[in-house]
Amino acid sequence: MTSTGTRPTGTGIRLHAPAPGWALDADVVVVGSGVAGLTAALRCETAGLRTVVVTKARLDDGSTRWAQGGIAAALGDGDTPEQHLDDTLVAGVGLCDEAAVRTLVTEGPDAVRRLIATGAHFDESAGGGLALTREGGHHRRRIAHAGGDATGAEISRALVGAVRARGIRTVENALVLDLLTDAAGRTAGVTLHVMGEGRHDGVGAVHAPAVVLATGGMGQVFSATTNPSVSTGDGVALALRAGAEVSDLEFVQFHPTVLFLGADAEGQQPLVSEAVRGEGAHLVDADGVRFMQGQHELGELAPRDIVAKGITRRMQEQGAEHMYLDARHFGAAMWEQRFPTILAACRAHGIDPVTEPVPVAPAAHYASGGVRTDASGRTTVPGLYACGEVACTGVHGANRLASNSLLEGLVYAERIAADIADSHADGTLRARVPAPLPHPGHPAHPLLPPEARLAIQRIMTEGAGVLRSASSLTRAADRLDRLHTEARVALREDGKTAEPGVDTWETTNLLSVARVLVAAAARREETRGCHWREDHAERDDTAWRRHIVVRLNPDRALAVHTTDTPEFPPTSEPAPHAVPDPESDAMPDPAPDPAPDPEPAPTPAPSVHGAQPTHRPQEQ
């Protein structure tokens, strides 16, 4: 691990929650149970580290299990990491970190082979090798898939099985709350809430000198998304409160082909994988016209931002709510063998893709930005790591290349585990039991009522969706600030905040990430990748081939600044906390009058598999 020097990193801001009533000790705690989290946990355990996995639902309930298309790597005849690198850089539109991408594509093939050795079974061709397909932005067939269109489910099955077989300690149904730090500002673990039946008192802690955030995405910040309900931006919000830098959050990828269930449909929507187009499906309008022809050399297999914009433009031109994906020429046998999951989802909603075109429209899918890390997954907070969708490694730039996400989670989780193991071996972590700072004596961060979640989603969909402008982003920022201010005023004047609980914590996290996303999107006055500004329709490399970095100051103001070059500064030298960008419109919030915490109720032990927790007196 590298040092961050003498500059303090913490904000002192935490969610309003009872003090922990139980604790576990570990060398490393991994938060999340997708491909990134479980890979990190398995590699840490192999290195002899006491590892605890904390996950919000069951081990197999994260975003990974929903991945349909597959995992990209140069595994086929004639393909090379260099070609994979070229396709990734093109998709990232000038903002990829080339060194990070080179790491991904060169280490990726062996990482996939290790995944197979762990027990993941991928589809094979008639000749016995891996059956590889194409997706948008790829010039070669390099997407390995499983169960036709159930790749994520197979990867999740294999990794969950390996974690359980090795007896790694897990805490399921637990929402992570905040990062614990010691007096020197180093990571000392996390607080979390174990979700019981109707209980709001399951708060505990895992004490560890290394924390790996692998919490997935934040798609639930929009009304319609492919993300599961647990994707509420918890990792990014935690990192912000801990003082970490977040970058490129304006680059939210909207998947072009999501099953259209109606203009008022909300929550998780069924995805129609890019692999369907990779196998030859056509995008058409209501008249059957293939409107992507001539818009890009790859047509319907152009990078996702281009296809999403093409669909949205056609919808605007025709006053339509959706377009169509036509794969009737596949025939029933191909649909049943290659895309059984998608076929079942379509039929469940009254659509038979064997006999009719499938209505599709873009929906929020993937956050290309996140918590900023270096090549070893280290954030700007010492001891805090991030990998998978919650992280910004520099791999994706302004737009993720299809099926690079599972590979990124795999490769960078392994690199994080290696870095933690090295730190343990050289004595940095060994035998160090961190002493976290005391629990705050007043509600440090006001909570929003659960009903605000729907308001946030509608604000974001209307103002910061596929199409954005200065006016739409200003309206969104004003409405989000109003929600934030109302919660602050209620706390300051009445000493009241919403009742602590999973729904209020999630809603508060959604507001935090929404405000950062809107601030970054308003700052970037150009169109690049999956950030589309109607009022700045062209890409501007001179002014905007840069990254937008956001931090949360102790006064709760967002400090927004732009890097001087396309390269990220080292994570060991983050920008000072107390100096927000002079151009930032963010204003500090008034400090609240201290209000006492409620007395925490007695807390039962969590549902823990493997070794049992050590119970301690309540920490203050």
Side-chain angles (χ1 to χ4, degrees), residues 47-61:
L49 300 171
R50 296 176 301 158
T51 303
V52 173
V53 176
V54 174
T55 188
K56 196 171 179 180
R58 298 189 307 273
L59 281 182
D60 61 353
D61 270 349

Side-chain angles (χ1 to χ4, degrees), residues 571-603:
T571 55
S572 57
E573 299 175 8
H577 248 307
V579 186
D581 189 293
E583 299 178 14
S584 175
D585 295 327
M587 296 297 292
D589 290 317
D593 294 326
D597 258 348
E599 287 296 322
T603 308

Side-chain angles (χ1 to χ4, degrees), residues 364-375:
H365 182 57
Y366 191 87
S368 293
V371 185
R372 187 166 80 81
T373 73
D374 65 8

Side-chain angles (χ1 to χ4, degrees), residues 56 175 229 232 234 453 502-510:
K56 196 171 179 180
L175 172 65
S229 61
T232 51
D234 307 316
R453 177 170 179 156
V502 174
D503 46 6
T504 56
W505 287 320
E506 285 185 335
T507 302
T508 303
N509 285 340
L510 283 173

Side-chain angles (χ1 to χ4, degrees), residues 525-528 533 535-541 544:
E525 295 180 336
E526 66 159 355
T527 290
R528 182 185 297 270
R533 286 284 297 263
D535 50 344
H536 295 281
E538 302 300 322
R539 169 179 161 184
D540 183 354
D541 280 349
W544 289 109

